[in-house]
Amino acid sequence: MIDRPGSLDRDDAIEVERVGDGWRLTVYVADVAACVTPGSTADREALERRRTEYRGGWALHTMLPRPMEAQLTLAEGRPCAAIAIRMQVRPDGTVGRVDVERATVRGLVALGHSQAADAVGDRSHLLHEVVREAAAVSEVLLARRRQQGALALYDLLSGWATSEDGVVVRLASFERTIGYKIVQECMIAANTALASWAAERDLPLLFRNHSAARVAAPRQIMLDDLDLAFTDGSAARLEALRERTLMTLKAAEYAPFMGGHWGLNLPGYVHATSPLRRYPDLVVQQVISSHLDGVDSPYEDDALRAIAEALNTGARQDRDAERESRKSSAHSSARRGAAAASADYTGLDAQAFHALLKRGCKEDIAGAALVAETARRAADGQLTSLDLQLVLLVAGGSGWEPGRSACLDVIAVAPERAVSILSGHAQVNALPPVEFTVQTFGQPPNAVFFAQASWPAGESAVQGARRSAPTKKAARHQAALSLLARLADLPDPSRDLAQPVPEATLLPAAMDGAGSGESPSPISVLNEYQQTWIITGLSYSTGAEGPDHLPTFTCTAQATHDGQAVCVSATASTKAVAKTAAAASLLERVDTARAGRAG
């Protein structure tokens, strides 16, 4: 029996024997169902508790009453009633014959994880042979699971492993030995074998089903990422992978049908080896015991379904409570850190500093040390767009002004970031999007673009300055920078990048920006005309003439309107301008024809 030191609820034991070039692996499970019958007081209370809860390796409260637990636990020095799951394990890790039967197990020996590791390495240890064989069988079982695509890895030296669901977890200090791997692999093998054994006999059990979210990476990519992270051994990389697996791998749930297990890559799986500690294991054992006794299952399908729902609901509530507790604790810690007048934050990684910054900005806590570190990281280019958005558009008060100024200075050098920051802020806070008005003056290729950004705010709008540039994109960037400065209540660093031209040269056909408060482009209008059958057969073809370093592009646009083919061409120094000009001419021809027909 390998368990944490001082365990009082030992509900499984392992026996391994060499048979030829393979092994006979037997997992003995305490026969709890012999004393806890379905519907009894102990059974109802066990369902209500659902599981034994541990903290720091010790039980806070037990699923079964302590006296009953002491009576049913596997223990040294006495014969113990058990359910035996016997498996033939071949050299390649595949499992052959499986037998399930009642047994009385004698000669039990209790080991801690480190004691099991000592036995493997010490040839003079009384249990060296049996524990060494247990270690050997665990290695071939693990290799077989990996070969079949299970998300399974251990790094016992640094204390990281994957759970049976494939989530990266941190191991307790006492688990970081070969003893932990022996227990994990033998129990997974027993639960897998029992699921298949029950399915072959059409026994209704509580199966442990698992799936991945739609946003999860393909299995092979996740396997490659696990290999890379565990090989690298970086705590930061492993922590990031842990967060990703938590987000993309759904929590496994119980159901009265075999739905498959994604993390293990198995068609069926059950929890059956911890009936003293987990209620679903007890239910599975009650069904198995009834079958072994030749009587009907004590549970109808509806009863199993109700039990599964109660267990799943309770597990979700536990996860929500734990998440809220961690969040509250993290917020309190971040709040204290953000308020510090003097502290050294230079050693914090990006994720830890973001948590601190988020709390400081949202609660307007402008600790001198936090504001100074924010300004330093901004100048060094270490802040993300989300960090910049928090400082410029969430943080308030004069205390944050040095930090806001430093952030805006960074964006002034790369004004394209202003657009993404404004868009991100709108999405995060469910605000209306920023509106851009863009106008074009002059003839291509010497056109000048003017842009102005505004943000709807009730009956009025907050507007930035109108800015010019030789390209539409550059004009929008400067306009967004101006609006961002206005919203952050800081001096405007935006500027005009082109000289204005007389408004008499305005080209109405070059006004565009559909969906952003701007006039739609002629290309967009023609597409809408085609979708509504005003025109048909809309097409564009472009050719180039002249030397490679200075080509001239001619675009021909054609369509059929009212049974008549309309074809126009336009020439410019770029494909885009030529296409826009051709579309504008074609649109003018179509609109003129439509107006004449209406008249």
Side-chain angles (χ1 to χ4, degrees):
M1 301 177 293
I2 303 174
D3 215 323
R4 59 191 175 282
S7 177
L8 300 176
D9 52 357
R10 298 181 185 273
D11 44 17
D12 55 69
I14 301 163
E15 182 180 37
V16 184
E17 302 170 84
R18 270 280 181 180
V19 179
D21 57 354
W23 298 266
R24 180 166 62 238
L25 168 62
T26 303
V27 173
Y28 295 99
V29 182
D31 191 357
V32 180
C35 293
V36 182
T37 56
S40 65
T41 300
D43 182 70
R44 292 196 304 271
E45 291 177 353
L47 173 58
E48 186 176 344
R49 294 189 179 99
R50 289 184 288 111
R51 58 187 172 84
T52 296
E53 184 177 347
Y54 299 93
R55 183 169 298 169
W58 299 97
L60 290 181
H61 67 75
T62 60
M63 186 181 77
L64 296 173
R66 286 285 189 187
M68 180 175 286
E69 180 186 82
Q71 174 191 350
L72 295 172
T73 184
L74 300 181
E76 296 177 306
R78 74 182 190 199
C80 298
I83 301 295
I85 306 169
R86 305 189 192 278
M87 296 158 277
Q88 175 196 3
V89 182
R90 302 187 182 99
D92 63 355
T94 57
V95 174
R97 180 185 174 91
V98 175
D99 293 304
V100 180
E101 58 190 16
R102 294 189 182 280
T104 300
V105 56
R106 295 176 172 83
L108 289 163
V109 179
L111 296 175
H113 293 83
S114 60
Q115 291 174 312
D118 292 341
V120 173
D122 183 0
R123 290 179 178 273
S124 63
H125 197 288
L126 290 175
L127 297 174
H128 170 70
E129 292 296 332
V130 66
V131 182
R132 185 187 65 178
E133 294 299 338
V137 79
S138 71
E139 292 294 346
V140 300
L141 288 170
L142 172 61
R144 179 63 180 178
R145 292 205 300 122
R146 289 276 295 164
Q147 184 182 2
Q148 290 181 309
L151 305 180
L153 276 175
Y154 301 88
D155 184 349
L156 299 177
L157 186 62
S158 62
W160 293 91
T162 52
S163 69
E164 65 182 25
D165 294 346
V167 174
V168 178
V169 294
R170 194 83 163 126
L171 300 180
S173 57
F174 66 84
E175 294 174 322
R176 299 175 186 181
T177 74
I178 185 64
Y180 175 80
K181 185 189 289 187
I182 292 172
V183 173
Q184 288 295 105
E185 293 305 314
C186 291
M187 296 307 119
I188 290 174
N191 288 328
T192 304
L194 192 61
S196 299
W197 183 88
E200 289 172 0
R201 290 155 180 79
D202 199 23
L203 296 181
L205 300 178
L206 285 182
F207 288 92
R208 182 74 169 167
N209 298 332
H210 181 242
S211 62
R214 287 186 296 176
V215 296
R219 181 179 299 278
Q220 189 57 52
I221 291 178
M222 293 196 71
L223 287 169
D224 292 343
D225 289 347
L226 282 170
D227 283 332
L228 180 61
F230 275 73
T231 301
D232 179 81
S234 164
R237 185 190 290 271
L238 286 163
E239 182 63 32
L241 188 58
R242 186 184 77 86
E243 291 297 325
R244 178 147 65 92
T245 54
L246 281 171
M247 287 189 292
T248 59
L249 299 179
K250 297 180 180 180
E253 293 192 336
Y254 297 103
F257 56 83
M258 183 183 287
H261 197 290
W262 198 88
L264 295 169
N265 204 20
L266 292 172
Y269 191 68
V270 296
H271 274 169
T273 56
S274 293
L276 283 173
R277 312 177 192 186
R278 290 186 306 218
Y279 188 73
D281 301 55
L282 174 57
V283 172
V284 168
Q285 191 178 85
Q286 289 168 339
V287 175
I288 297 297
S289 295
S290 297
H291 176 76
L292 295 177
D293 293 340
V295 298
D296 292 339
S297 171
Y299 297 105
E300 298 290 341
D301 289 347
D302 289 346
L304 285 176
R305 191 172 295 106
I307 292 172
E309 182 59 33
L311 293 170
N312 296 335
T313 299
R316 284 193 293 269
Q317 292 171 345
D318 288 347
R319 290 194 297 271
D320 291 343
E322 183 179 0
R323 191 180 301 114
E324 287 302 315
S325 177
R326 282 201 300 263
K327 185 186 297 184
S328 177
S329 177
H331 284 181
S332 297
S333 177
R335 194 176 293 114
R336 290 191 299 271
S342 60
D344 183 7
Y345 301 128
T346 56
L348 294 181
D349 61 24
Q351 184 178 5
F353 185 74
H354 173 75
L356 198 68
L357 184 65
K358 182 178 180 180
R359 193 54 36 204
C361 291
K362 286 195 170 185
E363 299 190 16
D364 198 15
I365 304 172
L370 177 60
V371 175
E373 178 65 9
T374 299
R376 184 193 72 79
R377 293 194 182 214
D380 291 347
Q382 297 179 12
L383 297 185
T384 66
S385 293
L386 181 56
D387 294 331
L388 295 170
Q389 176 250 327
L390 285 169
V391 176
L392 289 168
L393 300 177
V394 176
S398 58
W400 272 105
E401 188 166 334
R404 289 202 303 275
S405 296
C407 290
L408 192 62
D409 288 344
V410 170
I411 298 171
V413 177
E416 64 275 6
R417 299 188 72 177
V419 177
S420 62
I421 289 170
L422 290 169
S423 298
H425 186 68
Q427 292 174 5
V428 168
N429 296 281
L431 298 172
V434 175
E435 295 181 353
F436 288 93
T437 301
V438 181
Q439 292 178 303
T440 306
F441 288 82
Q443 295 288 342
N446 300 313
V448 175
F449 297 87
F450 285 81
Q452 187 171 27
S454 61
W455 207 329
E459 297 180 356
S460 60
V462 180
Q463 288 187 324
R466 185 169 180 257
R467 292 302 182 203
S468 65
T471 66
K472 182 172 67 173
K473 184 178 293 185
R476 285 167 62 94
H477 292 166
Q478 291 296 325
L481 177 61
S482 178
L483 176 60
L484 188 59
R486 177 74 181 276
L487 293 169
D489 196 22
L490 292 171
D492 188 350
S494 68
R495 57 196 178 94
D496 289 316
L497 304 180
Q499 295 297 319
V501 294
E503 292 199 11
T505 61
L506 176 66
L507 299 177
M511 294 179 64
D512 58 28
S516 302
E518 309 165 29
S519 301
S521 72
I523 296 173
S524 298
V525 175
L526 288 173
N527 287 337
E528 291 179 6
Y529 279 9
Q530 171 135 303
Q531 292 169 6
T532 54
W533 298 97
I534 294 174
I535 61 175
T536 58
L538 175 64
S539 65
Y540 301 91
S541 60
T542 304
E545 295 180 350
D548 292 341
H549 68 282
L550 194 64
T552 299
F553 295 92
T554 299
C555 178
T556 300
Q558 59 183 10
T560 299
H561 170 64
D562 200 20
Q564 299 293 320
V566 183
C567 182
V568 297
S569 297
T571 301
S573 59
T574 68
K575 287 183 180 179
V577 173
K579 182 176 181 180
T580 300
S585 297
L586 179 60
L587 178 61
E588 183 180 5
R589 292 273 299 274
V590 171
D591 282 345
T592 299
R594 294 179 69 201
R597 183 180 179 185

